[in-house]
Amino acid sequence: MNPFQTPIEYLKGVGLSRAGVLKKELGLATFEDLLRHFPYKYIDRTRFYKIRDIEPELPYVQVIARITSKELLGDKRTKRLVIQAQDDTGVMELVWFQGIKWMEKTLVPGKAYVIFGKPGFFNGKAQMAHPEMELYSPANLARNGNLTLQPAYSSTEKLKQFMLDSKGLQKLVATLLDQCAKDIHENLPQYIINKYRLVDKATAYRNIHFPGDAAALNEAQHRLKFEELFLLQLRMLKSKMHRTLKFKGNIFGTVGNIFNDFYEHKLPFPLTNAQKRVLKEIRQDTQRGVQMNRLLQGDVGSGKTVVALMSMLIAIDNGFQTCIMAPTEILANQHYQTIKDLVGDDFIEVALLTGSTPQKARKVLHQRLESGELKILIGTHALIEDKVQYKNLGLVVIDEQHRFGVEQRAKLWRKNVIPPHILVMTATPIPRTLAMTLYGDLDISVIDELPVGRKPIKTVHFYENQRLRMFGFMKQEIALGRQVYVVYPLIKESEKLDLKNLEDGINTMSHEFPVPDYQLSIVHGKLKAAEKAYEMKRFIKGETHIMVATTVIEVGVNVPNASVMIIENAERFGLSQLHQLRGRVGRGAEQSYCILMSNHKLSHDGRKRLNTMVKTNNGFEIAEIDLELRGPGNIEGTEQSGVLDLKMANLATDQQLLIQVRKIVEGIFEADPQLTNPEHQILHLSLQSKEQGLSWDKIS
Ligand code: ADP
Ligand code: MG
């Protein structure tokens, strides 16, 4: 049996009742769980303070001082033990409210102690509540000297009742390491360990708990982060490799007339370098005989649609059908219009299939798809229903990634004997390292350049007292023939308050912008779908001047004439949401603006978000800052991803390491795709283990 799977009650000093609380409070059920309950911080015990030098801002400090007096104060309910301790620089006060009896009995006036705790001040005098006390002696000091960085473990009130505070947990971990360190086996190839100068696994585990010094701690942390990222990438790239071996891909061998004709005669602008690069990447993917699974990231307006279209034309040149799938009808409609406009009527037929396509028309479409007559189909989920059969579907473009699950992607693969190539487009830029982790099994292309001549959106941050200025600006822009969005937050937790704000906002707007001079569209989540669509259409057609909405307005909706985005309570939105909202303007030829309205009172993060928005239009830069501020678990689209359950590594701060590790793992698969080299045998075991840690130890 694997010693690390031993139930925790069998560890010396635990027993059944403590095992129960450990499991309930911290989820620690086995030896392995305890070993992987890493300290959340380390307390420096190398330095001794003089009482005179203690300041209230200091974290934990230790002092050597002699007890000069000891008294019990207060009545029954306010009872406390108060001790005065003195060194050659001053006097401090030590207080206990609990465990008084024990302390009173053991602490001896006249003797010197090593006193360790968090300092405070009371009546101008240094004070500590419930410090750790240890009789001072050179021998004791020497022993503590071995433990210069004392680990601090997270614990709970309940656990403390079982004497399992940080100190108590530390004792258990020490016992466990003494007993089991010899069973911790390496799970990385030895040549990798040597080459990247990693400490071995057993050392890493010992030092993450009980580091001899800061350097040892660093090495241990580095090793464990490396291992964690390594195993994650190993899994991802293995599944990618697996798919590559399993699924053949259609070969788009030639670039033919259709593409060339479009490129030379129809494309109304030169491609940006980024667009060219991505097209080249797609070209390479689709010639290898392997199914393409590519994620195309680019800010709104960076020209993803054109790239998708041109890839589709290559597919058609090679005798295949293609489709674009959008998450909503409105977006499907817009893609349909955009693509029709780009290719023109006489060039190639483009068809639309959504939930509201009438039965009759649908039948005709189905037939023409099955016969292979129809080459470009644009639609919603409707186009992957089982009824829809293609003659030869070669490329599928999916817009707006995270609304389509893996499930639906898989469904697409069954639409042809050889599964179609898949290009997923998303306008939510995510940092490279996050993409590597979340979509580690996809290839990633990035359009990081906007077409020339695009006017960057001007963003300002206004406070409440500048509201009149904002109204004035709205009127000025409307007078120039433009349209304006006004967006309110609507967040589940504060729905009532938000709706009230929205109502107030609508009242103010109607008052400030009265009919008949001004027309308003109002769209919020409480409206029926048909009502929403009706209001949206009025705005899209230019019949209304102002669209007042909660965040429910569709992602990706394109109204080129709308040039002003006003975001109310902007401090309450996340960065990526703000960026997405701002992306609704700046789509036409006119200079566009974004006004962020906020209270004067802003949190540190709130201010940073607004400042970032004012400072940059670059979605990738914004995504990086978002990642820093919120941590990877909260980035849009990553919520349910178990992939991000990292214990050691932090995708925001360990980006360099992740990139390095990814390259190393790629190199391994390049040299040894099936991991057959003897030195890679160990990796099969590492891959098999469910945990990252220690479960796999039986090498036989
Ligand atoms: P995305 O899908 O990335 O939001 P689109 O493909 O819809 O962006 O392009 C946004 C707008 O920019 C469209 O009007 C498109 O015709 C135009 N566009 C795309 N590429 C270029 C380019 N290289 N030069 C000029 N305009 C471009
Ligand atoms: Mg688009």
Side-chain angles (χ1 to χ4, degrees):
M1 159 125 177
N2 179 337
F4 294 103
Q5 292 312 307
T6 311
I8 204 161
E9 62 255 37
Y10 295 111
L11 185 67
K12 196 173 149 237
V14 178
L16 270 181
S17 58
R18 279 177 142 194
V21 268
L22 280 170
K23 189 162 181 190
K24 190 147 169 255
E25 296 288 301
L26 295 175
L28 307 181
T30 63
F31 283 16
E32 167 164 0
D33 294 340
L34 180 62
L35 206 53
R36 290 179 61 74
H37 185 58
F38 298 137
Y40 68 94
K41 68 172 181 191
Y42 303 83
I43 297 155
D44 188 353
R45 298 209 66 168
T46 50
R47 175 161 182 197
F48 290 91
Y49 280 82
K50 290 292 183 191
I51 289 175
R52 187 181 52 204
D53 299 331
I54 293 177
E55 286 168 33
E57 301 82 43
L58 285 172
Y60 290 82
V61 298
Q62 58 184 349
V63 177
I64 298 172
R66 193 172 299 280
I67 293 183
T68 53
S69 81
K70 181 166 86 171
E71 11 173 19
L72 274 171
L73 297 178
D75 58 24
K76 218 168 181 193
R77 271 187 300 120
T78 60
K79 201 157 146 186
R80 58 195 189 276
L81 172 67
V82 179
I83 283 178
Q84 308 293 327
Q86 186 176 4
D87 69 3
D88 51 358
T89 68
V91 179
M92 71 185 298
E93 194 169 274
L94 314 175
V95 191
W96 282 264
F97 301 97
Q98 280 152 24
I100 294 174
K101 256 196 193 141
W102 172 253
M103 283 299 162
E104 220 228 319
K105 209 164 80 188
T106 48
L107 298 177
V108 185
K111 295 218 183 239
Y113 287 80
V114 175
I115 303 163
F116 176 77
K118 175 133 188 55
F121 270 77
F122 190 69
N123 287 339
K125 193 172 176 188
Q127 194 196 43
M128 269 187 210
H130 291 204
E132 282 175 26
M133 304 290 288
E134 189 166 18
L135 203 55
Y136 168 77
S137 79
N140 278 351
L141 266 197
R143 187 162 53 73
N144 265 343
N146 290 334
L147 199 64
T148 53
L149 290 171
Q150 180 176 309
Y153 296 92
S154 55
S155 176
T156 65
E157 281 313 311
K158 184 92 193 160
L159 278 164
K160 282 175 193 161
Q161 290 170 20
F162 286 76
M163 304 286 279
L164 291 173
D165 56 358
S166 178
K167 253 291 172 48
L169 287 165
Q170 181 189 324
K171 267 190 208 141
L172 294 186
V173 174
T175 307
L176 180 57
L177 274 169
D178 283 346
Q179 191 179 326
C180 285
K182 61 181 186 322
D183 297 313
I184 301 177
H185 297 296
E186 191 46 67
N187 62 347
L188 297 176
Q190 192 56 44
Y191 78 95
I192 296 278
I193 303 228
N194 297 345
K195 185 163 174 197
Y196 298 100
R197 295 162 201 253
L198 303 173
V199 294
D200 64 83
K201 187 163 179 130
T203 306
Y205 269 93
R206 174 159 286 286
N207 287 348
I208 195 80
H209 288 289
F210 302 112
D213 55 26
L217 176 60
N218 277 338
E219 281 174 0
Q221 285 172 331
H222 179 72
R223 147 81 207 211
L224 292 172
K225 283 177 184 179
F226 186 102
E227 171 188 314
E228 189 171 45
L229 295 171
F230 184 94
L231 294 181
L232 186 63
Q233 291 300 326
L234 193 70
R235 288 207 176 88
M236 291 245 161
L237 290 174
K238 188 178 174 228
S239 89
K240 184 173 163 189
M241 186 65 68
H242 179 75
R243 201 176 51 217
T244 308
L245 295 172
K246 189 165 149 208
F247 295 112
K248 288 218 181 77
N250 298 305
I251 296 180
F252 300 168
T254 53
V255 173
N257 289 338
I258 297 176
F259 180 95
N260 285 329
D261 213 15
F262 176 82
Y263 191 61
E264 277 152 31
H265 305 299
K266 302 256 175 205
L267 186 64
F269 39 70
L271 294 177
T272 62
N273 286 329
Q275 285 172 316
K276 284 185 197 158
R277 187 185 64 234
V278 173
L279 263 178
K280 219 180 267 169
E281 287 165 350
I282 294 170
R283 271 288 286 148
Q284 279 164 4
D285 279 3
T286 51
Q287 288 179 87
R288 293 187 302 152
V290 168
Q291 188 207 16
M292 170 175 83
N293 272 280
R294 190 168 276 282
L295 178 71
L296 173 52
Q297 290 195 62
D299 252 327
V300 168
S302 59
K304 296 183 292 295
T305 313
V306 184
V307 169
L309 172 64
M310 292 176 76
S311 314
M312 291 159 78
L313 297 182
I314 296 175
I316 296 168
D317 265 335
N318 287 276
F320 291 96
Q321 294 167 291
T322 64
C323 64
I324 298 186
M325 186 157 76
T328 66
E329 275 201 49
I330 291 189
L331 287 175
N333 268 305
Q334 285 202 346
H335 275 307
Y336 176 66
Q337 275 312 325
T338 310
I339 297 222
K340 258 171 72 107
D341 290 349
L342 275 166
V343 296
D345 279 338
D346 50 338
F347 185 64
I348 199 164
E349 190 191 352
V350 182
L352 178 70
L353 175 64
T354 68
S356 38
T357 308
Q359 222 18 270
K360 241 195 198 153
R362 201 179 276 241
K363 258 209 177 119
V364 178
L365 276 180
H366 287 181
Q367 277 161 10
R368 300 184 60 221
L369 284 171
E370 216 162 329
S371 73
E373 206 178 325
L374 199 56
K375 303 292 191 194
I376 300 184
L377 179 66
I378 293 168
T380 52
H381 296 67
L383 54 79
I384 55 164
E385 283 170 11
D386 290 332
K387 299 188 289 250
V388 187
Q389 293 296 326
Y390 298 78
K391 176 154 185 261
N392 201 2
L393 184 60
L395 170 67
V396 177
V397 177
I398 304 178
D399 193 11
E400 289 305 337
Q401 156 70 16
H402 38 256
R403 305 219 198 156
F404 286 103
V406 174
E407 191 71 351
Q408 280 158 320
R409 261 201 274 154
K411 209 165 178 181
L412 281 164
W413 297 354
R414 298 197 288 270
K415 289 281 169 198
N416 201 352
V417 189
I418 293 180
H421 294 301
I422 305 225
L423 182 66
V424 178
M425 301 195 289
T426 172
T428 311
I430 52 178
R432 183 156 160 240
T433 47
L434 200 54
M436 256 181 214
T437 316
L438 274 178
Y439 306 109
D441 61 334
L442 302 184
D443 290 305
I444 297 171
S445 289
V446 172
I447 303 188
D448 49 6
E449 181 188 357
L450 290 183
V452 286
R454 199 66 63 77
K455 294 192 185 92
I457 301 164
K458 285 188 182 153
T459 302
V460 292
H461 172 198
F462 277 6
Y463 293 104
E464 203 45 51
N465 61 1
Q466 288 159 295
R467 186 164 287 278
L468 284 180
R469 243 181 103 189
M470 176 195 103
F471 287 143
F473 183 73
M474 285 172 72
K475 284 177 185 155
Q476 183 188 318
E477 285 291 299
I478 291 170
L480 289 170
R482 321 260 196 272
Q483 290 162 284
V484 181
Y485 291 103
V486 183
V487 175
Y488 286 83
L490 182 57
I491 295 161
K492 274 255 158 55
E493 300 87 69
S494 49
E495 195 172 330
K496 272 212 182 107
L497 191 67
D498 284 346
L499 283 173
K500 170 97 180 33
N501 280 344
L502 176 67
E503 234 166 69
D504 291 349
I506 291 169
N507 286 339
T508 317
M509 286 291 163
S510 319
H511 183 76
E512 195 70 30
F513 298 90
V515 283
D517 291 350
Y518 296 100
Q519 298 289 335
L520 271 66
S521 281
I522 296 167
V523 171
H524 56 79
K526 294 274 177 254
L527 292 182
K528 297 212 176 70
E531 296 170 309
K532 254 190 261 179
Y534 173 76
E535 286 298 322
M536 286 297 304
K537 274 203 190 112
R538 290 211 309 150
F539 188 69
I540 291 171
K541 282 195 209 145
E543 291 169 9
T544 55
H545 301 103
I546 303 172
M547 155 82 76
V548 183
T550 52
T551 39
V552 293
I553 44 176
E554 304 281 347
V555 179
V557 164
N558 192 12
V559 183
N561 192 48
S563 65
V564 182
M565 167 63 66
I566 290 162
I567 304 177
E568 295 281 356
N569 293 114
E571 75 278 9
R572 295 189 39 209
F573 289 89
L575 252 182
S576 79
Q577 229 181 345
L578 288 171
H579 181 62
Q580 289 291 321
L581 285 171
R582 178 169 62 182
R584 315 275 161 87
V585 297
R587 294 167 167 236
E590 306 306 332
Q591 174 64 54
S592 288
Y593 303 89
C594 175
I595 302 178
L596 306 168
M597 297 296 298
S598 89
N599 283 325
H600 277 280
K601 239 177 94 187
L602 286 175
S603 67
H604 169 269
D605 284 7
R607 186 175 301 279
K608 173 114 191 193
R609 286 196 294 271
L610 299 186
N611 288 346
T612 302
M613 287 294 293
V614 172
K615 202 180 72 196
T616 179
N617 273 300
N618 181 326
F620 287 94
E621 213 173 298
I622 288 171
E624 293 285 351
I625 294 170
D626 201 22
L627 179 60
E628 260 168 51
L629 285 178
R630 299 205 292 170
N634 295 312
I635 299 295
E636 197 181 335
T638 68
E639 293 87 350
Q640 310 105 327
S641 170
V643 171
L644 294 172
D645 282 342
L646 297 175
K647 225 175 149 70
M648 286 302 298
N650 174 327
L651 291 181
T653 49
D654 296 320
Q655 305 203 14
Q656 286 313 314
L657 182 62
L658 174 57
I659 290 168
Q660 184 196 20
V661 167
R662 169 92 174 182
K663 280 204 189 108
I664 295 169
V665 178
E666 279 170 350
I668 289 177
F669 278 114
E670 242 160 65
D672 183 17
Q674 308 270 30
L675 305 179
T676 46
N677 289 353
E679 60 191 7
H680 290 149
Q681 284 317 299
I682 195 167
L683 294 178
H684 291 288
L685 288 165
S686 312
L687 277 167
Q688 272 162 27
S689 81
K690 219 168 84 241
E691 298 293 322
Q692 301 248 342
L694 306 139
S695 327
W696 52 273
D697 79 315
K698 281 284 164 274
I699 305 175
S700 51

